[in-house]
Amino acid sequence: MVRKTPEPVQIVKQRRDAALNALVSGVPYITFMGISFDRRGDELTGVLSFEDKLIGNPMLPAIHGGVTAAFLEVTAVISLSWAYIWEDFESGTLDVEALASGDLPRLPKTIDFTVDYLRSGLPRDAYARATITRAGRRYASVQAEAWQDNKDRPFAQATAHFLMPRTDNTE
Amino acid sequence: MSADKAQIARQFIEFLPHAKALGMQIVSIGDGMAEITMPYDERFIGDPKTGVIHGGAVSALMDTCGGAAVMCHPDAPAGTATIDLRIDYMRGATPGQAITAKAHVYHITRSVAFVRATACDEDTDRPVATATGAFTVEGR
């Protein structure tokens, strides 16, 4: 019995990081907000690097509620897209070089988005993770949570529904 | 009295760093109603294939506009914070067009203000998004 040689670790990492980078850096708004993603295997953590322009109430000061909502929405969309293309770029069906040169997959469209503000966002970095609770062919449900100092004390959480891109190229 | 309140709310909203970063401008404000516009800007694009503005920027506009409506309500003495906000996205905003949100406080108690908002681009007959939210009523 001939066993397939496992891929070298650098190749695996390079492919996954390139795919993630293509997905994230292609969206101007994510760059504008200063959001990046940490990756461990297929698990993503959104990182919101604090900047003064993210402040809502300067008297407190606190992160703008709209920033918190946007951060959760970005994390939800990227996590969902990432899960959606994972199999394809891992198997080679989706060419990572084509991805990197700007041939990005269609993104899911947000149908609705509900955010609960649990405590005020402090003027420092924030982190977020999304869980896909349902990944259907047409619709997906995603939950997301954001925290700062302590993951067990989230400052906001969100529930969202998305319309998945059609695979047959018709709208 | 009410005009002063609107003036204070206007100054406060225009002072918010993130509202400034998104280029938001108050169209009108007063008596529990607010209208705020956000110009089209390529830095806010969420879908590079279509040039449509990211939902997150629309959320920030809705949240700001909702908060502004609460702040200028005659029964709300001071500041406010968002408790929750639900946004329904009806369609992508047309690239190149500003997005304008209108919010109004449709009910207020001693502790909570209930807000509805609608966002449109230049085609005001077909909203881009609608929102409902609960906001705190502070300082009473």
Side-chain angles (χ1 to χ4, degrees), chain A residues 111-124:
Chain A
I111 300 168
D112 60 58
F113 188 84
T114 309
V115 53
D116 279 346
Y117 296 92
L118 307 172
R119 37 182 72 81
S120 88
L122 303 170
R124 61 186 73 151

Side-chain angles (χ1 to χ4, degrees), chain A residues 26-29 32 52-53 55-59 64-67 70 73-74 104 107 110-117, chain B residues 12 15-18 21-22 42-46 48-49 54-57 59-60 63-64 82-89:
Chain A
V27 182
Y29 183 69
F32 171 76
D52 284 342
K53 73 171 180 191
I55 287 178
N57 188 339
M59 259 89 94
H64 193 291
V67 170
E73 190 169 339
V74 165
L104 293 165
L107 295 169
T110 315
I111 300 168
D112 60 58
F113 188 84
T114 309
V115 53
D116 279 346
Y117 296 92
Chain B
F12 182 78
F15 192 57
L16 305 180
H18 192 65
L22 291 176
E42 288 181 353
R43 294 173 301 160
F44 311 156
I45 291 174
K49 283 204 166 158
H54 197 281
S59 300
D63 186 52
T64 308
T82 319
I83 298 170
D84 90 317
L85 190 68
R86 176 193 160 114
I87 300 170
D88 292 334
Y89 294 97

Side-chain angles (χ1 to χ4, degrees), chain B residues 10-87:
Chain B
R10 176 186 286 269
Q11 281 172 355
F12 182 78
I13 299 301
E14 286 177 346
F15 192 57
L16 305 180
H18 192 65
K20 267 194 228 167
L22 291 176
M24 290 184 204
Q25 298 214 308
I26 296 178
V27 178
S28 67
I29 188 164
D31 284 332
M33 283 191 270
E35 183 172 352
I36 299 180
T37 189
M38 179 175 74
Y40 183 79
D41 190 317
E42 288 181 353
R43 294 173 301 160
F44 311 156
I45 291 174
D47 189 338
K49 283 204 166 158
T50 58
V52 169
I53 294 296
H54 197 281
V58 179
S59 300
L61 176 66
M62 291 292 214
D63 186 52
T64 308
C65 199
V70 177
M71 283 194 69
C72 71
H73 193 283
D75 295 345
T80 182
T82 319
I83 298 170
D84 90 317
L85 190 68
R86 176 193 160 114
I87 300 170

